[in-house]
Amino acid sequence: MKIALDPYMHRHLSLPDLCRKTAELGYEYLELSPREDFLPWWVRPRAHKERIAEFKKALSDHDLQLASLLPMYRWASPHEDERRAAVNYWKEAIQVAVEMGCTTMNSEFGRGPSPDRGHKVSCCGGVHSHESSEAAWWRSMEELVPILESEGVTLNVEPHPEDWCETLHPALDMLKTIGSDNVKFLYCTPHTFYFGDDMQAMIAEAGSMIAHVHIADTYNHKASSGLRYIVNPPGAKVTVHQHMDMHQGEIDWDQFFGALAKTGFDGIVTACVFGWEERADESGRFMRQEIQAYVDKYFR
């Protein structure tokens, strides 16, 4: 099992300093989420040869391994120009992973087209339906899965609040339909209350498809008769979740790690807290220790 840090709260650091910081916080693995000088949000990778060499050296200097790369592109856009660009960026990102010696990537199903392409009245924007974004995603996967397989890279995909797919179903069904050992499921704990209502049952159902988990706490937005959050004006369409330190929200961590252990999980566990950049160091150290305690309790 790999316990990794998503260092998004430290993204202002250079890649060498980021590696130093990750090691100082007690991690042996790093999951690199989008950052402007490597794999930026939505646009072509900036990971040129010199930067890749710099990053590889920094990882080696600090005895770190790259657990996963996390690209975010508009691979589910019903606008063919956006989707085509996203697929091309994905191909480049896969080659970056290969060059880095990283055999795992992860991403989200996506929010459809850019909101700049029309008034955003739904997660998919403007006149476009969820179905059109799903169809676009399938077209992208038909092209990308053979490349992932030939390069020996596994892609772990998560449903995300506000995506065209934000629940456990149909996410699991779609990933299983692909039928590739190189496409797996990422269970993101702060999205639990969007996935469904029974965390233990959902983890059991996902079973061996779970190859990667993100660890952070959140409140149940559906609790207290739907009044956990009060939004004005009433009825406004909003999507809210948190990425907090463990025990600051309402995830039952004994239930989570206990259920995960029963699946035989042996993948990547990423500390994925974003909420307090002013105490990022303290959060990173705490999450490393707390995750280890639960791993020791339920997996050994």
Side-chain angles (χ1 to χ4, degrees):
M1 190 181 302
K2 301 175 181 179
I3 300 177
L5 174 69
D6 179 342
Y8 191 74
M9 291 195 293
H10 301 281
R11 64 192 178 280
H12 62 285
L13 298 176
S14 67
L15 285 168
D17 285 343
L18 187 72
C19 292
R20 173 187 53 78
K21 175 65 70 176
T22 301
E24 287 177 356
L25 297 179
Y27 294 83
E28 298 175 357
Y29 297 94
L30 185 154
E31 175 181 322
L32 194 68
S33 51
R35 51 180 286 142
E36 288 302 311
D37 62 354
F38 208 77
L39 300 179
W41 296 87
W42 317 127
V43 298
R44 185 178 184 178
R46 308 288 199 247
H48 52 71
K49 290 183 179 180
E50 291 86 355
R51 190 156 289 149
I52 289 173
E54 175 188 53
F55 191 19
K56 290 172 74 172
K57 182 180 185 301
L59 289 166
S60 176
D61 288 347
H62 295 283
D63 295 321
L64 290 175
Q65 295 183 47
L66 185 59
S68 182
L69 286 173
L70 196 176
M72 283 292 294
Y73 306 124
R74 301 192 193 281
W75 58 350
S77 174
H79 299 297
E80 185 61 15
D81 60 328
E82 286 185 341
R83 191 196 70 82
R84 187 72 256 158
V87 168
N88 290 335
Y89 301 157
W90 260 109
K91 291 177 181 179
E92 293 190 28
I94 292 169
Q95 293 309 309
V96 170
V98 171
E99 179 64 27
M100 291 295 304
C102 180
T103 59
T104 302
M105 304 178 80
N106 56 291
S107 194
E108 302 166 6
F109 281 94
R111 295 172 182 84
S114 167
D116 296 334
R117 297 291 288 265
H119 177 60
K120 188 174 182 183
V121 296
S122 70
C123 81
C124 293
V127 299
H128 299 286
S129 66
H130 285 67
E131 289 87 350
S132 63
S133 283
E134 177 176 337
W137 183 80
W138 279 115
R139 291 196 299 275
S140 297
M141 291 301 285
E142 287 168 1
E143 191 167 346
L144 292 173
V145 170
I147 299 173
L148 293 166
E149 292 174 338
S150 66
E151 296 291 0
V153 174
T154 297
L155 173 62
N156 303 317
V157 188
E158 61 167 301
H160 189 284
E162 201 193 14
D163 280 10
W164 58 270
C165 178
E166 62 180 3
T167 58
L168 190 78
H169 299 108
L172 273 180
D173 290 338
M174 289 189 291
L175 296 176
K176 288 180 178 180
T177 299
I178 291 172
S180 173
D181 291 337
N182 293 75
V183 180
K184 296 290 186 178
F185 181 69
L186 188 156
Y187 189 106
C188 190
T189 56
H191 305 162
T192 288
F193 300 111
Y194 286 91
F195 288 175
D197 296 318
D198 189 332
M199 181 172 64
Q200 289 174 296
M202 290 189 294
I203 292 171
E205 181 175 357
S208 62
M209 284 293 291
I210 303 176
H212 197 157
V213 296
H214 281 171
I215 303 296
D217 218 332
T218 191
Y219 292 123
N220 183 355
H221 64 285
K222 297 179 287 188
S224 193
S225 303
L227 296 175
R228 179 72 80 220
Y229 306 104
I230 298 174
V231 178
N232 291 317
K237 183 176 176 56
V238 298
T239 304
V240 179
H241 69 288
Q242 298 84 20
H243 282 248
M244 304 186 293
D245 283 352
M246 296 169 68
H247 312 302
Q248 290 184 334
E250 295 176 292
I251 298 291
D252 186 318
W253 294 106
D254 283 297
Q255 284 191 9
F256 174 77
F257 280 100
L260 190 65
K262 290 178 182 178
T263 70
F265 176 84
D266 189 27
I268 301 170
V269 181
T270 301
C272 200
V273 175
F274 304 140
W276 285 270
E277 292 183 356
E278 68 275 11
R279 52 180 293 278
D281 286 10
E282 178 184 351
S283 173
R285 290 191 183 96
F286 170 78
M287 291 293 289
R288 179 64 182 87
Q289 295 168 2
E290 200 68 8
I291 290 170
Q292 188 67 61
Y294 278 95
V295 168
D296 291 345
K297 181 176 181 179
Y298 287 101
F299 289 82
R300 295 180 181 175

